[in-house]
Amino acid sequence: MIGRLRKPRRRGRKKILAISSGGGHWIELMRLRPAFEGHDVVYVTVSDTYRSHVQGAKLRVVPDVTRWDRVGLVKCAARVLGVLLAERPDVVISTGALPGFFGVVLGKSLGCRTIWVDSIANVEELSMSGAKVGPFADLWLTQWRELERAGGPEYAGAIL
């Protein structure tokens, strides 16, 4: 059903929803930008101050939230769902934290291909979001070889 509602795109061109929280997660997402060339990209993050980083691309802002803010979690998930329904991406990719977690989980339920890249900051163990998002990610990556294991996440190198 969702596939029928999507606008036709140029052959081979995908719509990518690139989503993360701020700070290091955002920096890692920006380092992936060359991989998105030739596709339509909508960026989603927690602050409008990042708009200058994605000149020429659409930026959507969702609430910044921690796992201890239950009302904020619901608001953030609802906003991410709203963005997914409005943008109808083919692919959702995240470099982490709660908005990215919601993007991958909700995107998967809407039929999007999903990619999670756990932050390089997680040296000894996966982030909490990274550990929980695995079943919803079509491609589940860690940036540390030591964290790779059978069944995922996979190690394919580091962004930084």
Side-chain angles (χ1 to χ4, degrees):
M1 175 82 177
I2 294 297
R4 284 189 230 150
L5 298 175
R6 290 188 175 143
K7 293 179 186 173
R9 297 193 176 89
R10 287 190 292 177
R11 190 178 183 96
R13 193 174 180 95
K14 300 289 184 192
K15 188 168 194 178
I16 299 170
L17 190 90
I19 180 170
S20 78
S21 61
H25 298 288
W26 179 255
I27 291 168
E28 291 181 55
L29 191 63
M30 291 297 93
R31 297 271 173 118
L32 292 175
R33 286 184 78 186
F36 308 150
E37 286 184 21
H39 300 284
D40 298 321
V41 184
V42 176
Y43 293 93
V44 182
T45 190
V46 296
S47 174
D48 195 58
T49 60
Y50 294 123
R51 188 169 301 281
S52 64
H53 297 181
V54 295
Q55 292 178 349
K58 191 183 287 185
L59 177 76
R60 302 281 205 124
V61 177
V62 297
D64 195 5
V65 64
T66 68
R67 64 180 181 235
W68 295 282
D69 178 2
R70 292 177 189 232
V71 174
L73 288 172
V74 173
K75 289 179 181 177
C76 183
R79 288 286 297 275
V80 170
L81 179 59
V83 170
L84 286 163
L85 291 173
E87 298 294 343
R88 305 224 178 259
D90 300 297
V91 178
V92 175
I93 183 168
S94 180
T95 51
L98 279 167
F101 173 81
F102 289 134
V104 169
V105 171
L106 296 170
K108 184 68 178 176
S109 71
L110 294 173
C112 304
R113 300 287 294 171
T114 56
I115 303 169
W116 177 273
V117 182
D118 209 50
S119 173
I120 199 164
N122 303 97
V123 178
E124 296 182 4
E125 60 184 285
L126 292 176
S127 67
M128 180 176 282
S129 296
K132 294 186 180 296
V133 80
F136 304 97
D138 295 302
L139 181 59
W140 183 27
L141 298 171
T142 176
Q143 297 186 60
W144 294 98
R145 185 177 304 281
E146 296 79 8
L147 297 180
E148 180 180 43
R149 57 183 183 245
E154 298 174 41
Y155 172 77
I159 295 171
L160 301 178

